[in-house]
Amino acid sequence: MTSSASIYVRCKRKNQTFFIQANKTDTMFQLKEEICTALCENPVSPRNMRIYLSASEDRKPIPDAATLSDHDVTNDTILYLVLRRSGTERGNEDEFEESCWEDIDIVEDS
């Protein structure tokens, strides 16, 4: 498999799972744009999304400029998606204010 070969990643948010086809050289911002396409009924700007590799407490969002290969994202990797809370507009310095973002709240199938 070359670094530009297609892979599928799973992006989970609450009770939703998005299967996104991507390349290992794609950036997180490009992945967010693909998720926007999947959210066609309720479009969300990529700037109002965060993607995490882990649902653990010590998690940090993956930077938009990072590629999938930068974070060893491979075929069938699970990524966690959160959105900016309604009513918290992107502004001066609230980007890093955790209260502006949803919690990772994944509903697992029984």
Side-chain angles (χ1 to χ4, degrees):
M1 175 185 247
T2 64
S3 64
S4 63
S6 290
I7 61 171
Y8 285 91
V9 294
R10 290 186 280 168
C11 296
K12 291 188 164 207
R13 177 181 177 257
K14 297 187 180 192
N15 64 344
Q16 298 174 308
T17 302
F18 302 97
F19 293 87
I20 306 293
Q21 182 178 5
N23 293 313
K24 292 189 67 127
T25 56
D26 288 350
T27 64
M28 286 299 144
F29 192 82
Q30 289 170 309
L31 186 67
K32 289 178 182 181
E33 289 177 323
E34 290 296 321
I35 294 168
C36 287
T37 302
L39 291 171
C40 59
E41 290 181 19
N42 298 310
V44 176
S45 166
R47 300 268 181 225
N48 291 329
M49 298 178 179
R50 281 185 173 177
I51 296 179
Y52 297 88
L53 272 171
S54 167
S56 69
E57 289 297 319
D58 61 345
R59 66 188 179 270
K60 296 207 186 289
I62 302 173
D64 283 349
T67 65
L68 297 174
S69 63
D70 289 344
H71 291 276
D72 297 321
V73 174
T74 58
N75 199 46
D76 209 30
T77 295
I78 298 173
L79 299 174
Y80 299 91
L81 171 68
V82 299
L83 303 179
R84 180 177 290 279
R85 293 183 194 276
S86 294
T88 58
E89 296 179 18
R90 183 176 170 90
N92 300 335
E93 296 171 7
D94 71 347
E95 165 114 14
F96 299 104
E97 179 62 43
E98 290 303 314
S99 64
C100 293
W101 298 95
E102 297 174 331
D103 293 327
I104 293 178
D105 182 21
I106 304 301
V107 177
E108 297 294 338
D109 294 335
S110 303

